Amino acid sequence: MTEVTPTKHRPDDDEIDLLALFGTLWDSRWLIAAFTLAFTVMGVAYALLATPVYKASSLIQVEDETGAMPGMEDISSLLGSTSTATTEIQLIKSRAVLGQVVDDLNLDIVVEPNYFPVIGQAIARRFVGSEGDVAEPLLGDSYAWGGEKLVVSRMSVPEMEFGKALTLQATESGWRLYNSGDEPVLEGRVGKAETTGDYVLMVKELAARPGTTFDITKRRRYSTIADLQQEIAANEQGKDSGIISMSYEHENWRLAERVLNEVGDNYVRQNVERNSAEAAKSLDFLRNKLPEIKQELEVAEEKLNEFQIRAETIDITAEGEAILDQVVELEKQISQLEIQRAEIEQRFQPTHPRYKAWASQMVDLQERRKELDSRIGGLPETQQQLVRFRRDVEVGNEIYLQMLSNIQQLDIVRAGTVGNVRVVDDAAVNVEEPVKPKKALIAAIALLLGGFVGVAIVLIRSALNRGVENADDIENMGLPVYAGIPLSECQQALSRKNSKRALRNGQQGSQLLAVENPADLAIEALRSLRTSLHFGMMDAKNNILMISGPSPGVGKTFVSINLAAVMAQADQRVLLIDADMRKGFSHDVFQVKNDRGLSDLLSGRATLDEATHKTEADNLAFIPRGTIPPNPSELLMGKRFEDLLQEVSSQYDLVIVDTPPILAVTDPAIVGKHAGTTMLVTRFGLNPVKEIEHTQRRFEQNGIEVKGVIFNAVVKKASAYGYGNYGYYNYEYKT
């Protein structure tokens, strides 16, 4: 396995360098801290400004069974059944229960005062005043600032306006309603219903300054019920406990209480109605059957009287009396089973054990009746008819009396039904502790989220920024790094100060760092570069040094002018030529006129003496770019440029030519053919490896050898390798 030293970083490594990763985060610690602080501040602000949400809770008990009234256990057993808590929870959240709540409390009408954005509602919550008082407006007369109240008891809108916010504005005499298109549609007074077309509105209460607006939304009943089903929570407390806990959260704690209490009351009422419904059905059945039984009894009595008169028979024998008593008792039992038939068939399927037991009992009684009928057939003819007529009368009388008794009992059962559920605890709200927002939790989440976002941005930016931050990566391409120049904060401050001075009085001071602060670390690095170039240019064909770069913004002009000044300070006669005839700005640094420069010299509009300017640095001469020409490349390819370089090469010890980026234009390839030495300036964290390789290849295609690289604007980073090798952070020496 190949050993990788800590100071060597290979771009093609697939392994994650934890030290470099930590260094990246450490370098951007202030950015991460800024994001963390910003998110924390926003989280705390949200927690303080958010509308508190309160939770109302109540308790309902579901009893195992409904208690029977004394003496009526048999009847009650047919009318009541045990309901599990799971079933009751579904009934609580049914549309039958919640729909009545929506109707009673007008929950399908949503009223919201128009608060000032972001902070208005928080300010309104802190208003303290008597009933009916409203706060004075802080900004805008249409906003609500506290104490406003609007109660709408009735509202109808066209089909297209359902779910859309309408605007109600308080006026001096009442109110005015605008549709969703801000068109006035209704106007009226408080307490009086107003109608126009499909619009109907009844304002029950209104407390607001004239001009204050409210948003009113008429929702569809089904949508309101569906939302209420989602918002109301109902759970059984413990397994098979029969105790159901209900809760409801809302910004208005009074409304939360009313909603939950209304749900409990409607549920209990419907539970009672459901339990008494079976008794009512049986009662209706018996009352409808009673006239028919009475009529049959009257017919039987009439037939008996007619037979006794016709046959002159007054009584029956002892044997017939015994058979008659048995027949009457049997018919009474069959009649009771017939009365139960409707309940049995309604409650049970034929395969149910209870239904089978009833059917079996009915079959046994009918078999016994056939047996008694055969015994009656053994009596004399007169006695047979007399027994049959007496049977019909007595059976009819027994059934009639039995039905009257059942009707009375069922009537008592229906009136005394209390249901098998009851509200144990009415709805209550802890107004001192809202359930939302959880301020501490929100602040903690905001803190963590801010840190996470900050770290993510730093890592993403680091992943997307493929600029070289390690000089070893450049040397791995076969390009020697002659110097690493630290980023000069002094140069940045000098540029800002001169910009402010130019705006103030139109004058600029010196921007040449080598003159203003010769002890700056960047200048010390250029002195090291001067030494390296002294030996590197010994075998060059001439004393012309071309400085270029891959792309704009690498700092080649900064390197060129300060390197020229450092060279001149070593008692060398140096000429700096700004060959960037498109965007060169070296003349601004030296504060010389640009009307006579390289372009004018090459086009014959100026002589060498006219184009050459003295600078504030001794032994340093400067030729600016001149007037921007339409054909810079053609001027550089001309004979005059070659003659110019030969002439100045003999007059100066060193000629430095500052050229534009090679990847942007072809000018450096033209100049490089005349230069003895070519140096490439790259910027720390800006130029990717591929871009530097492409630059090197572009020069090689034009027959130009890049002598080396100047690594500019090196920043001290914990995540970067090798900055100590080419910078002076670790070796600063001050007097």
Side-chain angles (χ1 to χ4, degrees):
M1 181 181 292
T2 304
E3 182 179 357
V4 181
T5 60
T7 58
K8 203 77 168 177
H9 175 69
R10 299 183 185 276
D12 56 349
D13 280 348
D14 292 331
E15 298 179 359
I16 298 177
D17 193 330
L18 295 180
L19 184 62
L21 183 62
F22 177 78
T24 300
L25 299 178
W26 179 256
D27 292 333
S28 302
R29 59 189 180 278
W30 296 115
L31 178 63
I32 297 174
F35 270 97
T36 304
L37 179 61
F39 273 73
T40 304
V41 169
M42 288 189 293
V44 172
Y46 170 78
L48 295 177
L49 295 177
T51 303
V53 176
Y54 300 93
K55 181 178 181 179
S57 59
S58 66
L59 213 59
I60 291 179
Q61 180 185 11
V62 180
E63 298 176 349
D64 291 338
E65 60 182 6
T66 303
M69 297 188 66
M72 301 184 184
E73 292 82 359
D74 293 337
I75 294 179
S76 298
S77 65
L78 289 174
L79 306 179
S81 61
T82 302
S83 178
T84 63
T86 303
T87 304
E88 298 301 326
I89 289 174
Q90 297 303 318
L91 291 174
I92 290 174
K93 302 179 72 172
S94 65
R95 291 199 300 270
V97 174
L98 299 186
Q100 188 63 42
V101 175
V102 170
D103 296 338
D104 293 343
L105 300 181
N106 295 319
L107 298 182
D108 54 344
I109 303 175
V110 181
V111 177
E112 183 71 21
N114 180 24
Y115 295 110
F116 189 81
V118 183
I119 62 173
Q121 193 169 5
I123 295 175
R125 288 198 306 271
R126 288 161 175 78
F127 171 74
V128 179
S130 303
E131 183 71 21
D133 291 344
V134 293
E136 292 297 324
L138 300 179
L139 292 171
D141 294 334
S142 64
Y143 296 114
W145 296 98
E148 292 79 8
K149 184 178 181 181
L150 173 63
V151 178
V152 178
S153 59
R154 181 183 171 194
M155 183 179 184
S156 296
V157 296
E159 185 74 18
M160 61 182 180
E161 294 287 6
F162 275 100
K164 296 181 180 179
L166 280 65
T167 302
L168 184 141
Q169 183 182 42
T171 62
E172 293 287 350
S173 58
W175 50 266
R176 184 179 297 111
L177 182 68
Y178 298 84
N179 62 14
S180 58
D182 291 333
E183 300 173 348
V185 292
L186 272 179
E187 188 170 358
R189 296 177 179 273
V190 177
K192 182 180 179 182
E194 297 292 341
T195 304
T196 299
D198 292 331
Y199 291 93
V200 179
L201 188 66
M202 172 69 172
V203 176
K204 186 177 180 181
E205 294 182 45
L206 176 60
R209 291 173 289 97
T212 305
T213 58
F214 298 81
D215 291 335
I216 308 180
T217 305
K218 176 66 174 179
R219 303 187 60 196
R220 297 186 184 276
R221 185 174 184 271
Y222 179 84
S223 301
T224 308
I225 296 173
D227 290 344
L228 197 59
Q229 288 174 329
Q230 297 295 326
E231 294 165 359
I232 291 181
N235 300 286
E236 185 178 11
Q237 299 292 97
K239 185 177 181 181
D240 297 330
S241 65
I243 302 297
I244 298 176
S245 172
M246 292 197 306
S247 63
Y248 176 60
E249 297 179 1
H250 200 273
E251 297 174 357
N252 186 339
W253 65 269
R254 293 184 178 86
L255 179 61
E257 276 188 351
R258 289 200 302 270
V259 168
L260 217 53
N261 282 328
E262 193 74 16
V263 170
D265 293 342
N266 285 335
Y267 167 62
V268 171
R269 183 171 60 253
Q270 292 192 20
N271 177 266
V272 172
E273 293 174 354
R274 185 175 73 250
N275 288 340
S276 63
E278 296 177 2
K281 290 181 180 179
S282 298
L283 192 59
D284 292 340
F285 170 77
L286 293 178
R287 284 177 174 171
N288 293 331
K289 193 73 173 176
L290 187 62
E292 180 182 346
I293 300 298
K294 184 178 181 181
Q295 184 179 3
E296 291 178 355
L297 176 59
E298 292 174 349
V299 171
E301 289 177 343
E302 184 178 354
K303 288 182 178 180
L304 175 61
N305 291 332
E306 290 178 354
F307 177 77
Q308 286 180 333
I309 293 172
R310 185 174 63 253
E312 297 180 355
T313 302
I314 299 176
D315 204 355
I316 59 177
T317 64
E319 182 182 1
E321 188 71 32
I323 296 175
L324 178 61
D325 291 340
Q326 295 181 37
V327 169
V328 170
E329 181 64 26
L330 186 62
E331 290 292 345
K332 186 170 64 173
Q333 294 180 16
I334 292 176
S335 176
Q336 289 177 349
L337 290 181
E338 288 293 341
I339 293 174
Q340 294 178 7
R341 177 191 294 274
E343 294 292 340
I344 292 294
E345 291 180 346
Q346 183 179 2
R347 293 170 56 87
F348 306 105
Q349 296 292 331
T351 56
H352 194 275
R354 184 123 181 220
Y355 189 95
K356 290 182 177 179
W358 173 87
S360 177
Q361 188 177 0
M362 177 65 77
V363 170
D364 291 342
L365 292 177
Q366 289 175 349
E367 290 293 333
R368 290 182 58 192
R369 183 169 62 180
K370 290 180 180 179
E371 180 183 349
L372 290 176
D373 286 343
S374 64
R375 290 180 60 186
I376 292 174
L379 296 174
E381 181 67 25
T382 304
Q383 289 294 316
Q384 289 183 28
Q385 292 184 9
L386 183 59
V387 168
R388 289 191 181 98
F389 286 134
R390 286 280 300 276
R391 179 194 63 187
D392 293 341
V393 171
E394 292 187 17
V395 169
N397 189 54
E398 288 289 339
I399 294 175
Y400 182 74
L401 293 176
Q402 184 182 16
M403 291 186 69
L404 286 177
S405 176
N406 288 342
I407 288 174
Q408 292 176 355
Q409 292 178 5
L410 288 172
D411 208 6
I412 295 173
V413 169
R414 186 186 62 174
T417 302
V418 294
N420 66 323
V421 297
R422 66 187 181 95
V423 176
V424 179
D425 290 332
D426 289 330
V429 178
N430 185 358
V431 296
E432 301 296 332
E433 295 184 8
V435 294
K436 298 175 184 177
K438 298 184 182 299
K439 299 179 181 180
L441 180 61
I442 290 176
I445 292 176
L447 176 68
L448 295 176
L449 183 61
F452 175 78
V453 171
V455 170
I457 290 178
V458 169
L459 295 180
I460 292 174
R461 188 177 64 175
S462 175
L464 296 178
N465 179 21
R466 309 307 299 172
V468 175
E469 295 184 354
N470 180 12
D472 292 340
D473 295 338
I474 300 176
E475 292 191 336
N476 288 335
M477 294 185 293
L479 290 174
V481 178
Y482 270 57
I485 303 175
L487 179 65
S488 176
E489 296 180 359
C490 182
Q491 176 65 49
Q492 294 175 335
L494 192 63
S495 300
R496 288 194 298 267
K497 182 174 68 175
N498 286 323
S499 298
K500 293 180 180 178
R501 183 181 301 171
L503 291 174
R504 186 168 58 251
N505 52 28
Q507 297 180 353
Q508 290 186 352
S510 174
Q511 296 189 43
L512 190 59
L513 184 63
V515 174
E516 288 294 314
N517 187 7
D520 190 84
L521 293 179
I523 302 303
E524 292 292 343
L526 288 173
R527 292 192 180 99
S528 175
L529 176 62
R530 177 184 63 188
T531 303
S532 301
L533 287 176
H534 173 74
F535 296 101
M537 295 180 65
M538 284 185 175
D539 56 349
K541 63 181 180 181
N542 55 40
N543 61 346
I544 300 174
L545 170 64
M546 184 188 76
I547 297 179
S548 184
S551 59
V554 296
K556 56 182 182 54
T557 299
F558 167 79
V559 173
S560 299
I561 59 178
N562 285 282
L563 177 62
V566 168
M567 289 290 191
Q569 290 172 355
D571 292 331
Q572 295 189 58
R573 289 175 296 121
V574 181
L575 173 65
L576 174 63
I577 300 176
D578 188 355
D580 188 354
M581 290 182 284
R582 292 175 174 82
K583 295 183 178 181
F585 59 91
S586 299
H587 57 279
D588 293 331
V589 178
F590 290 112
Q591 299 184 53
V592 299
K593 293 183 179 181
N594 194 37
D595 54 350
R596 292 290 187 271
L598 179 61
S599 61
D600 304 287
L601 181 60
L602 298 181
S603 60
R605 293 195 301 270
T607 63
L608 179 60
D609 291 337
E610 293 175 341
T612 305
H613 301 266
K614 293 183 178 180
T615 65
E616 54 187 317
D618 296 336
N619 300 325
L620 175 59
F622 171 61
I623 298 179
R625 62 175 169 84
T627 306
I628 299 177
N631 54 347
S633 299
E634 287 73 10
L635 291 178
L636 294 175
M637 294 177 65
K639 188 68 169 58
R640 289 182 178 180
F641 182 67
E642 182 180 357
D643 295 340
L644 170 65
L645 292 180
Q646 290 179 356
E647 183 178 355
V648 297
S649 177
S650 60
Q651 296 178 5
Y652 295 91
D653 297 325
L654 177 65
V655 177
I656 299 177
V657 183
D658 181 17
T659 62
I662 181 64
L663 297 182
V665 294
T666 187
D667 297 4
I670 301 173
V671 178
K673 294 182 180 295
H674 306 289
T677 305
T678 297
M679 297 296 294
L680 186 66
V681 178
T682 63
R683 190 178 182 92
F684 180 90
L686 178 65
N687 304 114
V689 172
K690 293 293 184 181
E691 189 175 79
I692 299 174
E693 290 178 345
H694 190 35
T695 301
Q696 181 186 16
R697 189 160 53 249
R698 179 70 63 85
F699 276 117
E700 290 176 350
Q701 289 172 352
N702 289 277
I704 302 170
E705 178 188 0
V706 178
K707 190 69 175 179
V709 174
I710 303 171
F711 201 25
N712 187 35
V714 177
V715 179
K716 184 177 181 180
K717 282 189 174 183
S719 59
Y721 294 85
Y723 59 83
N725 298 334
Y726 299 99
Y728 291 82
Y729 294 105
N730 299 332
Y731 303 100
E732 185 175 2
Y733 184 78
K734 294 183 179 179
T735 59

